[in-house]
Amino acid sequence: MEYGTLENSTWVRTIRRWADSGSLPHAVILSGPGPRLEAARFLAAAMECRSARSRPCLSCSQCRKVMEEIHPDVLTLSAQDAKELTVKAVRDLRSELYICPNDAPRKIALFPDAGQLNQRDQNVLLKIVEEGPAHAAFLFCVENSGALLPTIRSRCVELKLQQGEAEPEADPGLLRAFAAGQRGAATAYLTELENRRIKREDLQQQLRQAWRICAQALLAQSGGQAVDTQEAALLSRSLSRRQLAALTELLHHYAAECDYNVGVGHVLGALAAEWEKRI
Ligand SMILES: [Zn+2]
């Protein structure tokens, strides 16, 4: 999965806004030509994340398990080779959803292709979508939401995913400075950013991009998943797992810090000092 360049996508901003305001819907249709399954995983991570702010943090154990697709409370249901799901699979899923989550706030049913749910299956799900337990959540990925019954649709929030939204690049200089893994390298680069009088919003954007790429590098190291940016590959080659975990956490923390009325110099200085302690 590619989170490195997506921070500016509308869907990422929408999901973060829901998470930050405590208003994550319990049932969402992810439709349109954009990356539906990727967005569903990101949303599932936001639902399960343990971080106090800026969810999903992509670095806590909940987020990592969702991204590695091994979270026990995210139930993914798809018919591998068949066109439609079997009614037994849908009924089993429904029973499972009534059981409390093992280790997370939500138990999530994720349908990578909700077009595989025929009318009968949707009727099996209807009651639990309408009035199921508070921990149950539903993520329906489907190109056209018209494939779902109006009764299901009326209970869901629809998140439309556009293709090819503007996706700004991360600052490769910043990531290379961290990847150097030497004392002073990142500090020198962060000082340079301060001298360039970078604005707080731009700094936040840079830190978020870097954070996402770092989380991706960490995931690649632990789960062997492929990375799609050069920077993520470089970070995962150059830093130890411990260093990557620390850097992911720091970037997350200081990106969130930029929400407050703090000076850019303060954020850059604190980030540099904390990183020096951890390499
Ligand atoms: Zn998290």
Side-chain angles (χ1 to χ4, degrees):
M1 263 183 296
E2 223 289 63
Y3 292 111
T5 55
L6 295 173
E7 189 57 39
N8 243 20
S9 301
T10 310
W11 61 265
V12 171
R13 288 203 302 267
T14 302
I15 292 170
R16 286 203 179 289
R17 195 175 61 239
W18 285 341
D20 289 346
S21 61
S23 60
L24 280 162
H26 87 291
V28 180
I29 298 170
L30 302 111
S31 64
R36 298 185 290 270
L37 184 55
E38 193 175 342
R41 295 242 171 255
F42 192 83
L43 181 49
M47 288 177 173
E48 307 292 33
C49 179
R50 294 275 193 220
S51 175
R53 57 183 179 175
S54 210
R55 285 173 291 143
C57 72
L58 304 178
S59 57
C60 74
S61 66
Q62 296 286 336
C63 284
R64 302 261 301 282
K65 278 192 259 179
V66 174
M67 290 189 296
E68 289 171 26
E69 300 175 24
I70 54 168
H71 198 296
D73 296 307
V74 181
L75 312 170
T76 303
L77 198 62
S78 63
Q80 290 300 336
D81 299 315
K83 258 183 143 173
E84 293 184 346
L85 289 157
T86 65
V87 70
K88 180 176 184 311
V90 178
R91 289 208 173 109
D92 288 350
L93 173 85
R94 184 183 59 182
S95 313
E96 183 67 25
L97 283 167
Y98 277 104
I99 302 168
C100 285
N102 292 306
D103 182 32
R106 290 279 177 102
K107 193 159 229 168
I108 302 169
L110 197 171
F111 300 92
D113 180 4
Q116 292 174 331
L117 290 164
N118 60 27
Q119 284 208 0
R120 177 201 59 206
D121 296 337
Q122 293 182 42
N123 281 318
V124 168
L125 289 174
L126 185 57
K127 189 154 182 286
I128 192 170
V129 175
E130 278 181 345
E131 48 188 44
H135 61 248
F138 301 84
L139 305 177
F140 299 100
C141 303
V142 67
E143 176 137 27
N144 180 352
S145 62
L148 293 167
L149 293 173
T151 40
I152 294 266
R153 286 206 306 272
S154 69
R155 295 291 166 167
C156 296
V157 172
E158 186 169 353
L159 187 57
K160 290 186 181 154
L161 302 159
Q162 308 302 328
Q163 206 155 36
E165 293 187 71
E167 292 172 0
E169 296 293 320
D171 176 356
L174 178 63
L175 291 160
R176 277 198 295 269
F178 282 117
Q182 289 165 357
R183 286 186 188 282
T187 302
Y189 195 84
L190 294 169
T191 308
E192 196 186 311
L193 284 183
E194 189 180 354
N195 293 341
R196 271 195 251 151
R197 302 196 177 279
I198 185 171
K199 283 197 229 134
R200 193 169 70 221
E201 305 80 65
D202 295 338
L203 175 63
Q204 182 171 47
Q205 195 65 30
Q206 286 301 333
L207 295 179
R208 282 183 172 165
Q209 301 284 6
W211 159 37
R212 205 88 55 250
I213 286 183
C214 199
Q216 198 192 19
L218 183 61
L219 187 62
Q221 235 185 32
S222 53
Q225 293 207 13
V227 291
D228 354 45
T229 62
Q230 277 184 359
E231 287 79 19
L234 175 68
L235 282 168
S236 106
R237 270 199 317 273
S238 316
L239 298 179
S240 69
R241 192 181 159 85
R242 184 189 58 76
Q243 288 172 321
L244 272 178
L247 184 57
T248 307
E249 193 189 314
L250 286 177
L251 291 168
H252 171 234
H253 176 82
Y254 287 103
E257 199 81 340
C258 292
D259 280 334
Y260 301 97
N261 191 19
V262 287
V264 162
H266 168 77
V267 173
L268 289 168
L271 171 59
E274 285 298 321
W275 176 239
E276 291 287 333
K277 277 191 226 162
R278 301 194 194 199
I279 53 176

